[in-house]
């Protein structure tokens, strides 16, 4: 087989590393001609892009307002804010169904079944003095953040690096967007390479501007969407909104709708995002899973847990193997004191072939609170064996401490919490619970030190602050 077509076959089968190796061999050859090398260079660029590609719609749940002239009222209207305010019906649901459910420390939103890249580092705290609460781990394996911004030093004199397989593919210091604006078959993969692989948003934006200025009225809808994407990445939400709307007027596309809804969430306008997604789901894209998933996430962020769970159930009705929907429904049932029902959803995820430390930890907690004690330690042991990071190991040992508390083994609970702190010294919930256990033995000098360390790790946790006030009051 011709090496170039073999590289194409590997690219289609997503064997990107092998595809890049063959392209490197082709680029090192003196023969064939420059045209063949150009095709291999383009294929290598596409393979390098797909190897690090992530959908940024899944990433960054943070709220950013870029325009300093925009005024945001101090008190949001009910149901329109990400700060936890909800409607009257939503407040009733929150009181009845989400009491004791942990929130992320970064954004304050209720913890869900799947941790997305923007909230992976947030740590929910739920421990109370004398009444500690276990927490479910989140499934992060399917939504890992990939580092797409790779800084490469540029060294050779040519714009293209054909001969050196270890060198840069493109010398960005000599990049001129006008040179590629007229190459219709090449400029789109070049944009993706600049945006996803190099992480150079400015250069990608320059290429968008060059293409739009060249074509003017005949510009493709795709370029307006990509310019909005770049502006959104640069925290210029209002300008991005204009280009997304212009792209939708030319060609309604689900990805553009999702990007515009993300723009609205960054501008603290969840109502507009929900209206946009609902209209698109009703008129042009009925039963589109990605649009329904985004609606469920936004409902969850504004505190409407009932509406979010209903949307996730509709998603499961259309796609019975949708992992995020199944996990979020399971979390909802767990925190509504229905661990047996949550266990059914987690077992369905397990039957789909998902084996992770978080999943087995959640199953163990459901078995613990559902009375199936014979499976608890087995699931925790599987979770410990599958845990690869210190954060995962800390969470598993933290949750194992509740097994010891349930059986009344205080010494084992203390050892589990100490193991948790040994893996993660900034685990505020474990430090707080160590303080709780120290009160039972009257070691109040340790209580104060544990609480001070917990407050340093999680300064905004209400439970830790309340415990500090209680200790200061009774000492």
């Amino acid at each position: 087989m011709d090496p170039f077509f073999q590289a194409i076959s590997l690219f289609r089968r997503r064997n990107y590393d092998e595809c890049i190796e063959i392209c490197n061999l082709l680029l090192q050859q003196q023969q064939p001609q420059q045209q063949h090398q150009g095709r291999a260079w383009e294929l290598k660029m596409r393979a390098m892009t797909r190897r690090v590609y992530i959908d940024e719609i899944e990433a960054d749940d943070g709220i950013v307002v870029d325009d300093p002239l925009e005024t945001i009222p101090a008190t949001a209207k009910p149901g329109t804010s990400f700060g936890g305010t909800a409607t009257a019906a939503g407040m009733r649901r929150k009181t009845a169904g989400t009491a004791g459910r942990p929130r992320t420390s970064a954004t304050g939103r209720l913890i869900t079944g799947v941790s997305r890249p923007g909230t992976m580092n947030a740590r929910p705290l739920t421990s109370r003095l004398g009444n500690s609460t276990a927490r479910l781990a989140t499934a992060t394996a399917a939504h890992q953040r990939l580092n797409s911004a790779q800084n490469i030093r540029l060294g050779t004199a040519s714009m293209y690096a054909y001969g050196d397989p270890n060198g840069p593919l493109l010398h960005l210091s000599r990049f001129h967007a006008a040179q590629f604006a007229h190459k219709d078959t090449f400029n789109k993969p070049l944009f993706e390479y600049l945006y996803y692989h190099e992480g150079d948003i400015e250069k990608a934006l320059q290429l968008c501007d060059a293409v739009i200025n060249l074509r003017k009225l005949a510009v493709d809808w795709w370029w307006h969407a990509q310019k909005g994407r770049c502006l959104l990445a640069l925290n210029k939400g209002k300008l991005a909104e204009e280009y997304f709307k212009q792209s939708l007027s030319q060609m309604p596309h689900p990805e553009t709708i999702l990007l515009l809804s993300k723009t609205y969430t960054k501008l603290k306008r969840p109502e507009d995002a929900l209206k946009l997604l609902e209209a698109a789901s009703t008129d042009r894209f009925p039963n589109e899973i990605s649009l329904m998933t985004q609606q469920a996430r936004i409902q969850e962020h504004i505190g409407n847990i009932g509406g979010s769970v209903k949307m996730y159930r509709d998603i499961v009705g259309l796609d019975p193997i949708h992992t995020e929907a199944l996990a979020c429904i399971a979390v909802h049932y767990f925190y509504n004191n229905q661990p047996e029902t949550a266990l059914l959803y987690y077992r369905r995820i397990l039957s789909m072939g998902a084996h992770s430390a978080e999943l087995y930890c959640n199953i163990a907690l459901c078995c613990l609170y559902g009375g199936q004690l014979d499976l608890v330690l087995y699931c925790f042991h599987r979770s410990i064996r599958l845990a690869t990071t210190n954060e995962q190991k800390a969470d598993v040992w933290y949750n194992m401490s509740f097994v010891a508390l349930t059986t009344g083994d205080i010494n084992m609970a203390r050892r589990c919490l100490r193991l948790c702190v040994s893996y993660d010294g900034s685990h505020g919930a474990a430090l707080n619970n160590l303080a709780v256990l120290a009160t039972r033995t009257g070691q109040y000098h340790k209580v104060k030190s544990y609480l001070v360390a917990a407050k340093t790790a999680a300064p905004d946790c209400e439970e830790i602050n309340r415990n500090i006030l209680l200790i200061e009051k009774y000492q």
Side-chain angles (χ1 to χ4, degrees):
M1 181 184 292
D2 183 86
F4 181 70
F5 288 101
Q6 184 180 2
I8 293 177
S9 176
L10 291 170
F11 177 81
R12 290 176 176 175
R13 287 178 285 161
R14 300 181 182 180
N15 295 327
Y16 300 123
D17 292 332
E18 298 179 15
C19 175
I20 292 172
E21 290 178 3
I22 296 179
C23 290
N24 287 335
L25 295 176
L26 292 174
L27 291 174
Q28 287 178 312
Q29 296 176 1
Q30 298 297 328
Q31 300 291 334
Q33 301 298 321
Q34 185 78 7
Q35 181 181 2
H36 194 106
Q37 284 189 330
R39 290 185 296 172
W41 183 81
E42 180 181 349
L43 181 60
K44 179 182 176 181
M45 180 176 63
R46 289 175 180 265
M48 293 175 69
T49 302
R50 300 308 302 180
R51 187 173 59 177
V52 300
Y53 173 83
I54 61 168
D55 186 0
E56 72 272 16
I57 296 173
E58 301 288 338
D60 189 12
D61 292 320
I63 308 300
V64 178
V65 180
D66 59 286
D67 191 349
L69 298 179
E70 180 180 9
T71 58
I72 300 177
T75 304
K77 295 186 295 182
T80 63
S81 173
F82 291 98
T85 308
T87 59
M91 289 299 292
R92 287 195 294 272
R93 284 191 294 270
K94 182 176 178 181
T95 302
T98 63
R101 181 170 173 178
R103 295 175 178 269
T104 58
S105 59
T107 60
R109 70 174 177 84
L110 293 171
I111 189 171
T112 59
V114 174
S115 180
R116 290 176 280 278
T119 57
M120 283 173 61
N121 295 329
R123 181 179 300 284
L125 300 175
T126 62
S127 305
R128 300 177 182 273
L129 186 61
N131 184 21
S132 299
T133 306
R135 64 180 182 185
L136 289 176
T138 52
T140 61
H143 297 276
Q144 294 277 342
R145 181 186 292 275
L146 298 178
N147 182 15
S148 61
Q150 300 187 7
N151 299 320
I152 302 177
R153 291 294 180 183
L154 308 177
T156 59
S158 175
M159 177 72 179
Y160 306 96
Y162 285 143
D164 185 9
N166 299 319
L169 184 67
L170 185 69
H171 298 318
L172 298 183
S173 62
R174 296 175 176 85
F175 175 79
H176 297 286
Q179 297 179 0
F180 305 96
H182 64 283
K183 299 181 180 180
D184 295 339
T185 60
F186 177 72
N187 48 24
K188 289 184 178 180
L190 176 60
F191 170 85
E192 293 180 345
Y193 175 80
L194 293 173
Y195 187 90
Y196 293 106
H197 187 275
E198 295 297 329
D200 196 330
I201 309 300
E202 296 289 347
K203 290 291 192 299
L205 183 59
Q206 290 176 14
L207 182 59
C208 290
D209 290 332
V211 174
I212 292 174
N213 293 334
L214 178 65
R215 300 182 182 180
K216 298 185 185 298
L217 298 178
V219 77
D220 190 2
W221 65 271
W222 190 86
W223 287 106
H224 285 124
Q226 303 315 309
K227 184 170 182 179
R229 188 194 300 268
C230 293
L231 292 171
L232 183 61
L234 295 174
N235 292 331
K236 298 180 180 179
K238 287 187 175 180
L239 292 176
E241 178 185 358
E242 297 177 4
Y243 283 96
F244 286 139
K245 288 182 177 179
Q246 191 170 354
S247 176
L248 288 174
S249 66
Q250 296 175 291
M251 173 64 180
H253 194 275
E255 183 177 358
T256 311
I257 295 171
L258 291 172
L259 287 170
L260 182 55
S261 69
K262 183 180 179 181
T263 305
Y264 286 143
T265 59
K266 279 181 170 289
L267 295 174
K268 291 190 176 181
R269 294 161 58 185
E271 268 191 344
D272 294 337
L274 289 174
K275 289 179 182 178
L276 172 69
L277 294 168
E278 185 177 358
S281 300
T282 304
D283 300 334
R284 294 187 175 273
F285 305 103
N287 298 331
E288 174 63 35
I289 299 297
S290 60
L291 300 180
M292 298 173 67
T293 304
Q294 187 72 358
Q295 282 182 268
R297 293 171 182 170
I298 296 176
Q299 293 279 9
E300 181 181 76
H301 286 191
I302 65 177
N304 187 4
I305 303 300
S308 174
V309 172
K310 181 179 181 301
M311 187 63 66
Y312 279 126
R313 285 173 179 159
D314 294 339
I315 294 172
V316 172
L318 297 171
D319 184 7
I321 60 173
H322 196 280
T323 306
E324 179 177 348
L326 292 171
C328 290
I329 294 173
V331 168
H332 172 72
Y333 278 118
F334 180 85
Y335 288 112
N336 277 272
N337 299 321
Q338 300 181 52
E340 298 87 355
T341 308
L343 187 59
L344 295 177
Y345 285 93
Y346 282 126
R347 283 180 173 174
R348 184 190 296 187
I349 298 174
L350 189 64
S351 66
M352 290 159 46
H355 297 273
S356 65
E358 295 89 352
L359 180 59
Y360 278 105
C361 183
N362 292 353
I363 292 176
L365 290 175
C366 290
C367 293
L368 175 64
Y369 289 101
Q372 303 182 32
L373 302 180
D374 55 328
L375 298 175
V376 174
L377 290 179
Y378 170 77
C379 292
F380 272 126
H381 290 165
R382 290 291 301 270
S383 180
I384 292 174
R385 287 199 297 267
L386 291 173
T388 56
T389 65
N390 288 337
E391 183 179 0
Q392 289 177 331
K393 294 176 182 178
D395 285 336
V396 173
W397 284 112
Y398 172 77
N399 284 310
M400 279 195 67
S401 66
F402 292 96
V403 180
L405 290 173
T406 303
T407 59
D409 193 341
I410 303 300
N411 291 328
M412 179 181 174
R414 187 180 294 107
R415 286 196 295 268
C416 290
L417 291 173
R418 286 175 178 172
L419 284 170
C420 171
V421 174
S422 69
Y423 284 111
D424 185 1
S426 62
H427 201 294
L431 293 168
N432 180 68
N433 286 0
L434 283 171
V436 173
L437 295 179
T439 58
R440 300 189 177 187
T441 58
Q443 299 174 330
Y444 291 103
H445 61 286
K446 289 187 177 181
V447 174
K448 190 65 178 293
S449 62
Y450 281 134
L451 289 177
V452 170
K455 183 175 177 60
T456 303
D460 298 329
C461 179
E462 296 181 1
E463 303 299 335
I464 296 174
N465 294 328
R466 187 178 301 114
N467 292 346
I468 291 176
L469 293 177
L470 286 174
I471 291 299
E472 292 177 350
K473 178 179 179 181
Y474 290 104
Q475 274 188 336

